[in-house]
Amino acid sequence: MTKITHAVIPVAGFGTRMLPLSKSVPKELLPLGNRPAIHYVVAEAIAAGIKHIVLVGHAQKSAIENYFDMNAELDNQLRQKGKDELADSLNWLPEDVSISMIRQGQPLGLGHAVLAARPVIGANDFAVLLPDVVLDPFTTDMQQANLAFMVDEFADKGHSQILVSRVADADVHKYGIAKLSNAEDLQAIDDNHNSDSVDNLSFAVAGFVEKPKLADAPSRLAVVGRYVFSNHIFDYLENTTASVGGEIQLTDAIDALISQYGVNVTTMQGNSYDAGDMRSYMQAFIYFAKQQLNDND
């Protein structure tokens, strides 16, 4: 199959979990160290070979698009002052990478946000990266792990991929939890998790249970916020009726995709941070800042 070069990043949420920080600044632009959170998510996509990124937002999120655009006046001022290196660092997108922004319109959920990108994505298969989830770029080589692995697996096997990570028993109720098609695959995941060198692994998934009680959880594998989808997902989203909260749920379309074409989960290397939750965000900020300070020593 053709390698995936398109990605969708939904950025239309109001970030209510991050108030008051997100009242006037999009949560995606809140800093992690010396860069906004969305910077790391886009860099991850580019490292995996993505060439066209579609941001799905709303009218109050234009600052995100501006962050990735060139500010000619600022660029000229910096260069006139001999700060060419700083100017270059602000215009870091490769020439062969483009970023588009479209508006979701009505706030009808994650599934609806992904579907809104269809006119731009067209007939291409694509990745989805949730901007609230920032993967640790300091301990994992993004060129080799996670999204890049998922893209390669999709190209090789043709099955959509969903990134999962093992979570503690106490946190199972917070996430969508994967039910594997073959229960014996859980042992392979446990062995990999406990080994000295953790690898990305991919296994067929039978479905997901949303925020189950521990006793009802089919595994400890929680959805992280990275997806690689066959273009068929658009057809299922288009025919998905609104459910919880009047929203079109991405998980409903995934269930349909599983039944028709099969879907795999990919186990994650490294760590992830929920940049849309205040407590996790503050922990992530401290960690990212320390790493960057150490790099400058």
Side-chain angles (χ1 to χ4, degrees):
M1 298 186 71
T2 304
K3 190 167 183 176
I4 285 176
T5 57
H6 289 66
V8 175
I9 303 180
V11 296
F14 283 103
T16 54
R17 291 186 298 161
M18 297 298 290
L19 289 170
L21 280 179
S22 58
K23 181 180 178 181
S24 59
V25 177
K27 62 178 180 178
E28 296 84 4
L29 291 180
L30 295 176
L32 287 177
N34 64 357
R35 295 179 178 86
I38 190 72
H39 181 109
Y40 300 100
V41 178
V42 169
E44 177 193 348
I46 293 171
I50 301 299
K51 302 299 182 184
H52 189 179
I53 296 168
V54 182
L55 305 173
V56 181
H58 57 71
Q60 284 72 46
K61 292 295 186 85
S62 59
I64 299 174
E65 187 178 20
N66 292 341
Y67 175 78
F68 294 105
D69 198 4
M70 180 177 178
N71 185 325
E73 183 178 355
L74 175 60
D75 186 79
N76 288 334
Q77 286 192 18
L78 290 173
R79 296 189 190 283
Q80 287 173 8
K81 296 176 180 179
K83 298 181 179 181
D84 289 358
E85 185 175 350
L86 178 57
D88 290 341
S89 72
L90 298 180
N91 303 307
W92 57 277
L93 286 179
E95 291 185 359
D96 62 345
V97 173
S98 62
I99 295 183
S100 305
M101 190 161 189
I102 62 174
R103 295 185 181 181
Q104 183 180 358
Q106 294 179 291
L108 297 178
L110 177 57
H112 182 261
V114 173
L115 181 59
R118 189 173 198 175
V120 182
I121 297 295
N124 295 290
D125 303 315
F126 61 101
V128 173
L129 297 88
L130 302 191
D132 287 351
V133 181
V134 181
L135 273 58
D136 182 354
F138 303 108
T139 58
T140 301
D141 185 347
M142 289 190 296
Q143 296 281 3
Q144 302 297 325
N146 298 321
L147 187 61
F149 177 89
M150 295 164 71
V151 167
D152 288 342
E153 278 291 296
F154 179 83
D156 184 40
K157 308 287 176 43
H159 289 165
S160 296
Q161 306 283 324
I162 299 176
L163 192 65
V164 295
S165 178
R166 209 167 82 163
V167 296
D169 289 356
D171 294 327
V172 164
H173 69 283
K174 301 177 183 178
Y175 300 97
I177 301 296
K179 179 181 180 181
L180 299 188
S181 297
N182 299 306
E184 57 268 25
D185 290 338
L186 288 172
Q187 185 60 54
I189 292 173
D190 287 342
D191 292 343
N192 180 57
H193 181 81
N194 295 323
S195 68
D196 294 332
S197 178
V198 177
D199 299 316
N200 291 117
L201 300 175
S202 183
F203 298 101
V205 65
F208 296 88
V209 180
E210 191 64 27
K211 300 181 179 179
K213 295 179 180 178
L214 180 60
D216 300 327
S219 73
R220 304 295 182 267
L221 301 175
V223 176
V224 174
R226 298 293 184 270
Y227 310 82
V228 171
F229 285 130
S230 158
N231 192 269
H232 296 295
I233 194 74
F234 282 140
D235 294 329
Y236 294 120
L237 286 170
E238 203 162 57
N239 292 296
T240 297
T241 56
S243 55
V244 179
E247 297 183 342
I248 295 175
Q249 302 295 327
L250 182 61
T251 51
D252 292 340
I254 290 173
D255 286 341
L257 192 66
I258 290 172
S259 65
Q260 188 70 27
Y261 294 99
V263 172
N264 282 21
V265 291
T266 294
T267 57
M268 186 181 76
Q269 285 192 45
N271 299 313
S272 66
Y273 293 90
D274 182 356
D277 172 80
M278 188 64 74
R279 182 180 181 85
S280 179
Y281 166 75
M282 289 191 290
Q283 292 171 337
F285 180 89
I286 293 170
Y287 171 72
F288 277 63
K290 284 183 176 179
Q291 295 298 320
Q292 290 162 353
L293 287 171
N294 290 337
D295 288 344
N296 292 329
D297 287 344

